[in-house]
Amino acid sequence: MRVISLAGSPRIPSRSAALLSLSKSWLQQQGVEVIPYTLHDFDAEDLLYANFNSPAIKAFTEQLAQADGLLVSTPVYKASFSGALKTLLDLLPERALDHKVVLPLATGGSIGHMLAVDYALKPVLAALKAQEVLHGVFADDSQIVLDGEKVTLSENLAARLEEALESFYLALGRRKPPRVKISPTLLTRQTA
């Protein structure tokens, strides 16, 4: 199994990136290959000016096409997910998440932002034709302590994250692979 992880925070380090890093480690322990991306892997001008021909965006799109799933994290600003992440998602092809399982992770200053994932991020992921967008995990800033390289999660958040990752892993295993397209002429030859 192969998963793309995408850190949607413009800041490094960030709480949402820390959740993503812990998730990446958990998945790797299950034998899942995780290919990490951050917004910093893309030229800001390519994002700002919607450069669909950007080599970095094309490479990301190709990696995504070969993946079974997407693990995406974002901070919540002004009741929505990161604008820079939205800009990147806007540059993906219409069916970029076709046959993919997606687990969204989000962090925000208070639980008042919890519904931003459901009402802002999930519709965009669905528009990209994700096969399955899982419930995901929202954490308020008080549940994640960053101390240099050390990340400490509250007990409740750690349990919710592990449960979500277990669901993601199971969903990856049951996902429907893309159908092989058979040309009509090949069918005619076989029946003749």
Side-chain angles (χ1 to χ4, degrees):
M1 285 186 256
R2 173 186 282 182
V3 168
I4 301 295
S5 70
L6 177 58
S9 177
R11 295 182 54 194
I12 296 177
S14 73
R15 287 176 176 83
S16 61
L19 276 183
L20 193 67
S21 179
L22 292 171
S23 299
K24 175 186 168 191
S25 296
W26 189 94
L27 288 167
Q28 288 173 326
Q29 289 173 4
Q30 312 314 308
V32 177
E33 177 186 6
V34 181
I35 301 167
Y37 277 90
T38 73
L39 292 177
H40 296 272
D41 293 322
F42 306 95
D43 185 14
E45 286 190 11
D46 287 342
L47 296 175
L48 186 62
Y49 295 111
N51 181 2
F52 289 90
N53 294 315
S54 160
I57 291 171
K58 284 184 173 183
F60 177 70
T61 301
E62 288 172 20
Q63 286 284 350
L64 194 54
Q66 301 302 314
D68 299 299
L70 173 67
L71 186 61
V72 59
S73 71
T74 182
V76 175
Y77 301 127
K78 307 287 189 253
S80 187
F81 65 101
S82 158
L85 176 60
K86 173 68 164 84
T87 302
L88 174 59
L89 294 175
D90 285 345
L91 294 175
L92 297 178
E94 179 184 354
R95 302 188 74 80
L97 297 179
D98 199 18
H99 301 286
K100 311 285 182 251
V101 178
V102 182
L103 177 63
L105 308 172
T107 58
S110 76
I111 60 169
H113 295 296
M114 187 180 335
L115 294 178
V117 173
D118 290 334
Y119 293 108
L121 182 56
K122 283 186 176 182
V124 174
L125 299 171
L128 291 169
K129 308 300 185 230
Q131 175 178 311
E132 185 175 3
V133 180
L134 300 178
H135 181 64
V137 176
F138 177 86
D140 73 63
D141 290 349
S142 70
Q143 296 175 305
I144 305 170
V145 177
L146 300 177
D147 184 15
E149 295 290 315
K150 185 179 178 193
V151 178
T152 306
L153 304 183
S154 72
E155 190 175 315
N156 175 276
L157 175 58
R160 288 188 297 116
L161 181 61
E162 185 167 7
E163 183 179 334
L165 288 167
E166 288 170 355
S167 295
F168 183 57
Y169 182 72
L170 290 172
L172 289 170
R174 71 174 179 262
R175 83 177 187 95
K176 296 176 187 168
R179 289 181 24 205
V180 176
K181 294 180 182 176
I182 300 173
S183 84
T185 55
L186 180 63
L187 289 174
T188 308
R189 285 186 208 146
Q190 289 180 351
T191 58

